[in-house]
Amino acid sequence: MSKHTQQLAAFLAKLSYEQIPEHVLDRTEDLFLDWLGSALASEGARPIPLFEAYAQQMGPADGPARILVNGRGTSAYFAALVNGASSHLVEQDDLHNSSVLHPATVVFPAALAAAQDLGKSGRELLLASVAGYEAGIRIGEFLGRSHYRIFHTTATVGTLAAAVAVGKLLDFDQQQFIHLLGNAGTQAAGLWEFLRDAADSKQLHTAKAAADGLLAAYFTEQGLTGAQNILEGEQGMAAGMSRDADPSKLSDRLGRRWALVETSFKFHASCRHTHPAADALLDLMQREGLRHQQIERVVARVHQGAIDVLGRVTVPQTVHQAKFSMGTVLGLIAVHGSAQLTEFANLALQDPAVAAFRDKVQMRLDPEVDVAYPQRWLGRVEVITTEGRTLRGAIDEPKGDPGNTLSRAELEDKFRRLLAFAGQRSSDEAGVLIERVWRLRETDDLSQLA
């Protein structure tokens, strides 16, 4: 068995709440609020009611864990399933750059559901969530860029990240974490092909990752053994899912590097691969005083990962698919100056000016941008004006990145906008939820958190 997997499992087993620095706990609360808003913003939106109906059909009539979008009690498994789906729909959940993993949408649904089921406190929830982030990010980095070209990392690695969070709530020792990784890793799945058809599978990815991670932890606690070398074995995840796996990433500065605080918040309500170009175009247009009618053509200079994901979408058929269309996102930025939830809902598919601008946009692989990725997501655009001028825009840290992050005031504002978009909760209710999240460390009863 790899020493790196052993070191990761030992770190997870020994990690205590007291070892986590204050700024890491603060950021975990920030990320939790951001995730909660994403989950609640999806209320009533397709395909979330399908997941709710499935939970009602197959799950218990009541239970200790809560489905966020409807408040119903159910088992931990079905709460993790629905909450995992709902928090990834509006494309406002977080992203860790170098692992290309959306940790919140898999870690928090599993951790919160299990914490409610097991009667754990807010402090224990935070500890478990940190463990899930730290493990998931490192496993994502381990599997490398080649994994992401075919596999949706949040679906595959997310299963292990969710499992680790629940395993921490169950107080697993080092050997149990080894079995847990084996039981979670053998379930890991999720392919990008759904984007070509505007299919709903992306929500199934995160739903199953959260629920299957929880399942793996509960089974492991009962004594179910798992593969001892699921990450690096001859028939393990790296062998089947990667061409550039780096085992040293699994144990990278454990206890010294807190990877959780490297996680980025989403500002625009679209695939993160569109954000660097969106910020660069917005900055250029503001700097030059340009209107969209003055732009003849835009070249977004991007990394290969952006082409692999966004290149599948030419003319989007749904709002969700529009969030993976570079032309649509840049069209919203150019025409309306914003690519938030309301712009996508009301304008992305309906506005002829956005559609016309979409046809002016092309992506081109840029060596500088590609070499920096995934550690850094650089924004580079070239704009050719109707007058024949060539203008260039550059952003090194998109809005939401650790070096250009959202303050707590901005996160609260984003949370209120997310809830207002769903239209099911008042501003006063949003304020109550914000206060509850900021007091997680003092909370003993998580049953009524949301």
Side-chain angles (χ1 to χ4, degrees):
M1 186 191 309
S2 161
K3 67 177 182 180
H4 299 291
T5 299
Q6 287 278 22
Q7 289 170 3
L8 176 60
F11 166 76
L12 296 170
K14 293 175 183 175
L15 182 65
S16 68
Y17 181 86
E18 290 71 25
Q19 291 174 316
I20 303 173
E22 190 76 11
H23 75 279
V24 178
L25 293 171
D26 289 343
R27 183 43 55 104
T28 309
E29 291 174 342
D30 294 346
L31 294 164
F32 187 88
L33 181 74
D34 195 60
W35 165 76
L36 183 62
S38 292
L40 294 174
S42 300
E43 187 168 348
R46 179 184 171 84
I48 305 310
L50 303 180
F51 289 86
E52 295 177 70
Y54 179 73
Q56 190 169 11
Q57 177 186 6
M58 301 298 291
D62 199 3
R66 293 281 168 186
I67 294 174
L68 293 170
V69 291
N70 61 33
R72 291 178 184 152
T74 186
S75 68
Y77 180 86
F78 284 101
L81 185 87
V82 182
N83 294 340
S86 67
S87 55
H88 200 49
L89 178 65
V90 298
E91 292 294 331
Q92 288 276 262
D93 52 310
D94 65 20
L95 175 87
H96 183 269
N97 285 353
S98 57
S99 60
V100 202
L101 172 71
H102 297 272
T105 193
V106 288
V107 169
F108 288 132
L112 178 60
Q116 290 175 330
D117 183 43
L118 300 168
K120 299 294 185 178
S121 68
R123 286 164 61 102
E124 290 168 308
L125 173 64
L126 291 171
L127 169 61
S129 300
V130 171
Y133 267 75
E134 295 299 317
I137 287 168
R138 286 173 172 82
I139 295 169
E141 292 175 334
F142 153 72
L143 287 173
R145 288 181 60 165
S146 65
H147 178 76
Y148 186 79
R149 192 177 71 83
I150 302 294
F151 295 97
H152 184 198
T153 303
T154 305
T156 54
V157 174
T159 308
L160 288 86
V164 165
V166 180
K168 193 61 187 174
L169 286 167
L170 293 167
D171 198 25
F172 280 2
D173 61 24
Q174 181 177 348
Q175 190 56 43
Q176 285 175 305
F177 272 115
I178 295 290
H179 286 298
L180 174 63
L181 292 172
N183 286 328
T186 201
Q187 300 181 78
L191 299 164
W192 278 115
E193 186 65 22
F194 73 90
L195 267 179
R196 297 183 191 274
D197 310 305
D200 296 323
S201 302
K202 196 164 191 266
Q203 280 62 63
L204 187 62
H205 287 184
T206 52
K208 287 286 286 175
D212 287 349
L214 184 143
L215 179 151
Y218 276 49
F219 264 123
T220 301
E221 202 231 353
Q222 294 295 321
L224 190 75
T225 60
Q228 298 292 283
N229 201 15
I230 196 69
L231 298 174
E232 302 172 67
E234 291 182 10
Q235 294 174 295
M237 290 183 72
M241 295 177 160
S242 176
R243 297 190 310 274
D244 59 345
D246 181 355
S248 69
K249 299 292 187 182
L250 295 170
S251 58
D252 179 32
R253 291 167 285 163
L254 290 164
R256 292 181 289 115
R257 170 208 178 194
W258 295 97
L260 177 147
V261 300
E262 303 165 359
T263 307
S264 298
F265 298 102
K266 276 192 175 184
F267 185 70
H268 310 295
S270 58
C271 174
R272 183 67 176 173
H273 290 296
T274 66
H275 290 211
D279 282 359
L281 179 62
L282 184 61
D283 181 71
L284 183 152
M285 291 181 70
Q286 291 173 344
R287 183 188 77 213
E288 300 291 335
L290 277 182
R291 292 174 291 112
H292 70 93
Q293 297 94 333
Q294 297 172 276
I295 296 176
E296 184 70 30
R297 184 160 59 93
V298 177
V299 177
R301 306 189 70 92
V302 297
H303 51 260
Q304 183 63 47
I307 295 172
D308 292 341
V309 173
L310 306 177
R312 295 171 170 87
V313 181
T314 51
V315 180
Q317 301 301 307
T318 67
V319 169
H320 192 257
Q321 196 182 38
K323 297 183 178 201
F324 290 80
S325 162
M326 180 68 87
T328 303
V329 174
L330 297 192
L332 288 172
I333 290 293
V335 178
H336 299 285
S338 177
Q340 300 295 332
L341 291 174
T342 52
E343 282 79 26
F344 274 102
N346 301 326
L347 300 166
L349 302 179
Q350 300 93 326
D351 187 350
V354 172
F357 197 91
R358 181 189 68 219
D359 295 336
K360 299 177 181 180
V361 175
Q362 68 178 104
M363 290 188 292
R364 185 177 299 165
L365 182 66
D366 185 287
E368 177 200 14
V369 176
D370 193 54
V371 168
Y373 173 82
Q375 284 73 26
R376 301 173 67 208
W377 295 42
L378 304 179
R380 301 288 186 269
V381 295
E382 291 178 3
V383 170
I384 294 84
T385 71
T386 53
E387 300 171 341
R389 291 191 299 158
T390 298
L391 305 171
R392 292 177 176 82
I395 291 290
D396 289 345
E397 288 189 287
K399 181 67 173 175
D401 264 14
N404 188 17
T405 193
L406 302 183
S407 66
R408 281 208 161 177
E410 289 174 310
L411 287 169
E412 290 182 7
D413 177 66
K414 178 183 174 182
F415 183 82
R416 290 179 183 277
R417 285 189 283 107
L418 288 167
L419 268 60
F421 178 77
Q424 302 299 316
R425 288 170 174 80
S426 68
S427 178
D428 287 344
E429 288 174 305
V432 169
L433 290 173
I434 290 168
E435 182 61 25
R436 286 179 182 173
V437 173
W438 295 157
R439 298 181 62 181
L440 262 181
R441 279 174 259 191
E442 306 163 24
T443 302
D444 292 325
D445 181 9
L446 295 169
S447 63
Q448 300 300 321
L449 180 67

mmCIF file of all heavy atoms in Angstrom, residues 4 64 88 95 143 159 170 212 218 243 248 261 308 334 343 361 386 411 419:
data_model
loop_
_atom_site.group_PDB
_atom_site.id
_atom_site.type_symbol
_atom_site.label_atom_id
_atom_site.label_comp_id
_atom_site.label_asym_id
_atom_site.label_seq_id
_atom_site.Cartn_x
_atom_site.Cartn_y
_atom_site.Cartn_z
ATOM 1 N N HIS A 4 1.726 7.249 0.802
ATOM 2 C CA HIS A 4 0.963 8.500 0.732
ATOM 3 C C HIS A 4 -0.487 8.283 1.164
ATOM 4 O O HIS A 4 -1.059 9.117 1.870
ATOM 5 C CB HIS A 4 1.039 9.068 -0.681
ATOM 6 C CG HIS A 4 2.427 9.404 -1.118
ATOM 7 N ND1 HIS A 4 3.148 10.447 -0.573
ATOM 8 C CD2 HIS A 4 3.240 8.813 -2.040
ATOM 9 C CE1 HIS A 4 4.341 10.504 -1.148
ATOM 10 N NE2 HIS A 4 4.417 9.530 -2.032
ATOM 11 N N PRO A 64 -34.512 11.942 10.839
ATOM 12 C CA PRO A 64 -33.765 12.994 11.531
ATOM 13 C C PRO A 64 -33.061 13.981 10.614
ATOM 14 O O PRO A 64 -32.680 15.067 11.045
ATOM 15 C CB PRO A 64 -32.748 12.202 12.349
ATOM 16 C CG PRO A 64 -32.528 10.949 11.553
ATOM 17 C CD PRO A 64 -33.855 10.623 10.931
ATOM 18 N N HIS A 88 -25.986 21.848 -6.645
ATOM 19 C CA HIS A 88 -25.106 21.944 -7.816
ATOM 20 C C HIS A 88 -25.839 22.432 -9.055
ATOM 21 O O HIS A 88 -25.259 22.504 -10.131
ATOM 22 C CB HIS A 88 -24.496 20.557 -8.094
ATOM 23 C CG HIS A 88 -23.253 20.581 -8.923
ATOM 24 N ND1 HIS A 88 -22.180 21.421 -8.661
ATOM 25 C CD2 HIS A 88 -22.881 19.856 -10.012
ATOM 26 C CE1 HIS A 88 -21.221 21.214 -9.550
ATOM 27 N NE2 HIS A 88 -21.622 20.269 -10.385
ATOM 28 N N LEU A 95 -15.494 26.104 -5.989
ATOM 29 C CA LEU A 95 -14.581 25.292 -6.787
ATOM 30 C C LEU A 95 -13.173 25.440 -6.234
ATOM 31 O O LEU A 95 -12.737 26.556 -5.920
ATOM 32 C CB LEU A 95 -14.578 25.731 -8.251
ATOM 33 C CG LEU A 95 -13.541 24.975 -9.094
ATOM 34 C CD1 LEU A 95 -14.128 23.684 -9.627
ATOM 35 C CD2 LEU A 95 -13.004 25.825 -10.227
ATOM 36 N N LEU A 143 -5.211 12.698 -9.083
ATOM 37 C CA LEU A 143 -5.686 12.110 -10.336
ATOM 38 C C LEU A 143 -5.347 12.958 -11.552
ATOM 39 O O LEU A 143 -5.323 12.456 -12.678
ATOM 40 C CB LEU A 143 -7.199 11.870 -10.267
ATOM 41 C CG LEU A 143 -7.629 10.704 -9.374
ATOM 42 C CD1 LEU A 143 -9.140 10.657 -9.234
ATOM 43 C CD2 LEU A 143 -7.096 9.379 -9.902
ATOM 44 N N THR A 159 -17.214 11.401 -4.298
ATOM 45 C CA THR A 159 -17.678 10.258 -3.516
ATOM 46 C C THR A 159 -16.738 9.990 -2.344
ATOM 47 O O THR A 159 -17.179 9.713 -1.220
ATOM 48 C CB THR A 159 -17.781 9.012 -4.407
ATOM 49 O OG1 THR A 159 -18.556 9.324 -5.575
ATOM 50 C CG2 THR A 159 -18.436 7.854 -3.672
ATOM 51 N N LEU A 170 -18.006 9.636 12.324
ATOM 52 C CA LEU A 170 -18.073 8.318 12.959
ATOM 53 C C LEU A 170 -16.791 7.971 13.709
ATOM 54 O O LEU A 170 -16.653 6.860 14.223
ATOM 55 C CB LEU A 170 -18.368 7.250 11.899
ATOM 56 C CG LEU A 170 -19.761 7.328 11.261
ATOM 57 C CD1 LEU A 170 -19.849 6.450 10.017
ATOM 58 C CD2 LEU A 170 -20.834 6.938 12.267
ATOM 59 N N ASP A 212 -23.582 8.166 -1.862
ATOM 60 C CA ASP A 212 -22.753 6.968 -1.887
ATOM 61 C C ASP A 212 -21.550 7.092 -0.952
ATOM 62 O O ASP A 212 -21.070 6.096 -0.411
ATOM 63 C CB ASP A 212 -22.286 6.670 -3.303
ATOM 64 C CG ASP A 212 -23.404 6.139 -4.181
ATOM 65 O OD1 ASP A 212 -24.478 5.811 -3.633
ATOM 66 O OD2 ASP A 212 -23.217 6.052 -5.411
ATOM 67 N N TYR A 218 -21.172 4.439 6.375
ATOM 68 C CA TYR A 218 -22.042 3.669 7.265
ATOM 69 C C TYR A 218 -21.764 2.175 7.144
ATOM 70 O O TYR A 218 -21.774 1.435 8.148
ATOM 71 C CB TYR A 218 -23.513 3.976 6.964
ATOM 72 C CG TYR A 218 -24.037 5.219 7.660
ATOM 73 C CD1 TYR A 218 -23.347 6.423 7.617
ATOM 74 C CD2 TYR A 218 -25.241 5.196 8.363
ATOM 75 C CE1 TYR A 218 -23.828 7.561 8.246
ATOM 76 C CE2 TYR A 218 -25.743 6.329 8.995
ATOM 77 C CZ TYR A 218 -25.025 7.512 8.926
ATOM 78 O OH TYR A 218 -25.514 8.629 9.561
ATOM 79 N N ARG A 243 -3.928 9.342 -16.535
ATOM 80 C CA ARG A 243 -2.653 9.077 -17.205
ATOM 81 C C ARG A 243 -1.514 9.872 -16.584
ATOM 82 O O ARG A 243 -0.364 9.722 -16.989
ATOM 83 C CB ARG A 243 -2.749 9.424 -18.696
ATOM 84 C CG ARG A 243 -3.755 8.599 -19.471
ATOM 85 C CD ARG A 243 -3.620 8.818 -20.974
ATOM 86 N NE ARG A 243 -3.601 10.235 -21.322
ATOM 87 C CZ ARG A 243 -4.690 10.973 -21.519
ATOM 88 N NH1 ARG A 243 -5.900 10.419 -21.381
ATOM 89 N NH2 ARG A 243 -4.603 12.250 -21.833
ATOM 90 N N SER A 248 2.325 11.751 -4.741
ATOM 91 C CA SER A 248 2.807 12.676 -3.708
ATOM 92 C C SER A 248 1.760 13.720 -3.351
ATOM 93 O O SER A 248 1.799 14.292 -2.256
ATOM 94 C CB SER A 248 4.098 13.366 -4.167
ATOM 95 O OG SER A 248 3.835 14.266 -5.240
ATOM 96 N N VAL A 261 -8.815 26.522 2.370
ATOM 97 C CA VAL A 261 -8.837 27.978 2.219
ATOM 98 C C VAL A 261 -8.420 28.423 0.817
ATOM 99 O O VAL A 261 -8.530 29.604 0.485
ATOM 100 C CB VAL A 261 -7.942 28.673 3.281
ATOM 101 C CG1 VAL A 261 -8.402 28.349 4.686
ATOM 102 C CG2 VAL A 261 -6.479 28.294 3.095
ATOM 103 N N ASP A 308 -12.273 21.329 -23.495
ATOM 104 C CA ASP A 308 -12.831 19.983 -23.319
ATOM 105 C C ASP A 308 -14.266 20.030 -22.809
ATOM 106 O O ASP A 308 -15.119 19.242 -23.228
ATOM 107 C CB ASP A 308 -11.972 19.173 -22.346
ATOM 108 C CG ASP A 308 -10.603 18.832 -22.903
ATOM 109 O OD1 ASP A 308 -10.438 18.897 -24.142
ATOM 110 O OD2 ASP A 308 -9.709 18.516 -22.110
ATOM 111 N N ALA A 334 -21.346 41.146 -22.072
ATOM 112 C CA ALA A 334 -21.207 42.270 -23.007
ATOM 113 C C ALA A 334 -22.488 43.085 -23.132
ATOM 114 O O ALA A 334 -22.457 44.318 -23.136
ATOM 115 C CB ALA A 334 -20.789 41.742 -24.382
ATOM 116 N N GLU A 343 -30.180 36.917 -15.048
ATOM 117 C CA GLU A 343 -29.830 37.079 -16.458
ATOM 118 C C GLU A 343 -29.934 35.739 -17.196
ATOM 119 O O GLU A 343 -30.435 35.682 -18.329
ATOM 120 C CB GLU A 343 -28.415 37.649 -16.606
ATOM 121 C CG GLU A 343 -28.302 39.135 -16.364
ATOM 122 C CD GLU A 343 -28.283 39.490 -14.880
ATOM 123 O OE1 GLU A 343 -27.868 38.631 -14.064
ATOM 124 O OE2 GLU A 343 -28.692 40.626 -14.540
ATOM 125 N N VAL A 361 -18.102 34.870 -30.652
ATOM 126 C CA VAL A 361 -17.112 34.402 -29.683
ATOM 127 C C VAL A 361 -16.497 33.073 -30.134
ATOM 128 O O VAL A 361 -17.212 32.169 -30.576
ATOM 129 C CB VAL A 361 -17.754 34.222 -28.289
ATOM 130 C CG1 VAL A 361 -16.758 33.624 -27.304
ATOM 131 C CG2 VAL A 361 -18.281 35.566 -27.782
ATOM 132 N N THR A 386 -15.540 46.950 -34.314
ATOM 133 C CA THR A 386 -16.098 47.222 -35.650
ATOM 134 C C THR A 386 -15.249 48.232 -36.410
ATOM 135 O O THR A 386 -15.336 48.335 -37.636
ATOM 136 C CB THR A 386 -17.534 47.747 -35.525
ATOM 137 O OG1 THR A 386 -17.553 48.866 -34.622
ATOM 138 C CG2 THR A 386 -18.467 46.665 -35.011
ATOM 139 N N LEU A 411 -20.621 37.675 0.673
ATOM 140 C CA LEU A 411 -21.226 36.349 0.758
ATOM 141 C C LEU A 411 -22.664 36.434 1.266
ATOM 142 O O LEU A 411 -23.543 35.708 0.788
ATOM 143 C CB LEU A 411 -20.393 35.446 1.670
ATOM 144 C CG LEU A 411 -19.060 34.966 1.092
ATOM 145 C CD1 LEU A 411 -18.222 34.304 2.175
ATOM 146 C CD2 LEU A 411 -19.285 34.009 -0.074
ATOM 147 N N LEU A 419 -31.476 33.200 -2.370
ATOM 148 C CA LEU A 419 -32.790 32.899 -1.801
ATOM 149 C C LEU A 419 -33.891 33.696 -2.491
ATOM 150 O O LEU A 419 -35.000 33.178 -2.717
ATOM 151 C CB LEU A 419 -32.802 33.162 -0.293
ATOM 152 C CG LEU A 419 -32.460 31.939 0.581
ATOM 153 C CD1 LEU A 419 -31.066 31.402 0.274
ATOM 154 C CD2 LEU A 419 -32.576 32.270 2.055
#
